[in-house]
Amino acid sequence: MTECLWCGETTAQETEKDCYWIMPDGRRSVQILQVPALGCPSCGSYLSDATNQKVEEHLYMCDLSAYADVFSYEDLLKAPVKNLWGSLSSLPD
Ligand SMILES: [Zn+2]
């Protein structure tokens, strides 16, 4: 049992959810399976902000060109990090 982030219900449970996501470049949509989620009897199942952010970061940082449009959350975490040296040098710190 865990606490719902939305309504504070204490009977929420950790679960997994299949989610559609638009890649950061907006040109590709992917389905990510088995993303850790919270399931609340009142609110339904949803991702926490932290999980959302983690997915966003990985989609941005990782090279997913070798992946099909459907992959699991675990695969996402194992994806190789893109070589960003070229573009990073132009970003402000
Ligand atoms: Zn709730």
Side-chain angles (χ1 to χ4, degrees), residues 3-10 12 39-44 46:
E3 192 176 324
C4 176
L5 299 173
W6 287 356
C7 69
E9 177 66 63
T10 52
C40 169
S42 313
C43 309
Y46 61 92

Side-chain angles (χ1 to χ4, degrees), residues 11-88:
T11 58
Q13 292 190 33
E14 286 176 18
T15 180
E16 289 176 340
K17 193 171 161 65
D18 298 343
C19 302
Y20 287 94
W21 228 284
I22 307 285
M23 296 293 280
D25 67 7
R27 278 187 271 174
R28 187 178 167 197
S29 67
V30 293
Q31 188 181 14
I32 308 173
L33 307 176
Q34 295 153 14
V35 182
L38 283 176
C40 169
S42 313
C43 309
S45 62
Y46 61 92
L47 306 191
S48 70
D49 286 349
T51 304
N52 245 307
Q53 201 179 350
K54 196 164 180 180
V55 170
E56 295 271 346
E57 277 172 11
H58 276 79
L59 289 178
Y60 182 74
M61 292 183 336
C62 297
D63 180 5
L64 301 174
S65 55
Y67 281 40
D69 288 344
V70 181
F71 50 85
S72 69
Y73 180 75
E74 211 181 310
D75 286 339
L76 176 65
L77 298 189
K78 285 187 295 194
V81 174
K82 268 189 227 166
N83 182 352
L84 289 171
W85 295 114
S87 53
L88 270 184

